[in-house]
Amino acid sequence: MITADDHWPATLQRVVGTLHFKIADSKSVAPTLQIEVRQDIQSLPALIQTAVKATIELDSWVAMERMEPPINREAVLARKQLARAIAADPPGAGQSPFTAGYDAAYRLRLEQLVWAAIADHPRRRLEELASARP
């Protein structure tokens, strides 16, 4: 049976795929993970643009370690592990397979967080989250 929400797993996977993670200051003692959009999202459908902004907002909640629903400890740990892995990669060498695993794990957590935050009313919740972004 197909429901109206069956497209969300693929949509959220596409949204998280548009994001790029990098270290803000490689000389810092504690690596700070920074998120940016890989492509110009203006050419994407409005729903995807809204979902990207909402996902970036949720990532900022994970970075601040807000332990309110839907943020959980596993997401915070996955983000920290990704930051450490990216910081450990040699400059200019590209992403190691080790780092790629942490990247995939955090992306999956981020997808799950977005769905947990919007599941009861996806469009409205995405708009609420996205509106929190400047």
Side-chain angles (χ1 to χ4, degrees):
M1 184 169 156
I2 297 174
T3 68
D5 290 331
D6 283 349
H7 66 91
W8 284 107
T11 300
L12 295 178
Q13 189 174 35
R14 180 179 179 189
V15 164
V16 173
T18 66
L19 303 175
H20 174 70
F21 303 100
K22 66 179 186 176
I23 297 298
D25 182 12
S26 59
K27 296 176 184 175
S28 172
V29 175
T32 303
L33 195 62
Q34 202 172 40
I35 189 171
E36 59 187 32
V37 182
R38 286 186 195 184
Q39 64 190 47
D40 179 24
I41 63 171
Q42 300 305 319
S43 62
L44 299 174
L47 180 64
I48 302 296
Q49 292 177 37
T50 304
V52 168
K53 292 174 185 173
T55 302
I56 292 171
E57 177 65 17
L58 280 174
D59 174 71
S60 72
W61 293 7
V62 175
M64 291 184 301
E65 299 185 30
R66 284 179 53 175
M67 290 302 165
E68 301 166 22
I71 308 304
N72 58 34
R73 187 76 185 140
E74 289 84 16
V76 172
L77 291 174
R79 191 177 198 283
K80 286 182 179 183
Q81 290 170 335
L82 175 58
R84 280 191 228 113
I86 293 173
D89 278 346
Q95 193 180 55
S96 71
F98 179 71
T99 303
Y102 284 113
D103 185 83
Y106 183 59
R107 287 177 190 279
L108 182 61
R109 288 280 180 209
L110 208 46
E111 287 176 39
Q112 293 169 342
L113 286 175
V114 174
W115 182 245
I118 69 169
D120 63 334
H121 199 285
R123 289 182 194 274
R124 187 183 77 221
R125 296 284 186 218
L126 280 176
E127 289 169 358
E128 290 169 358
L129 283 169
S131 68
R133 298 284 327 148

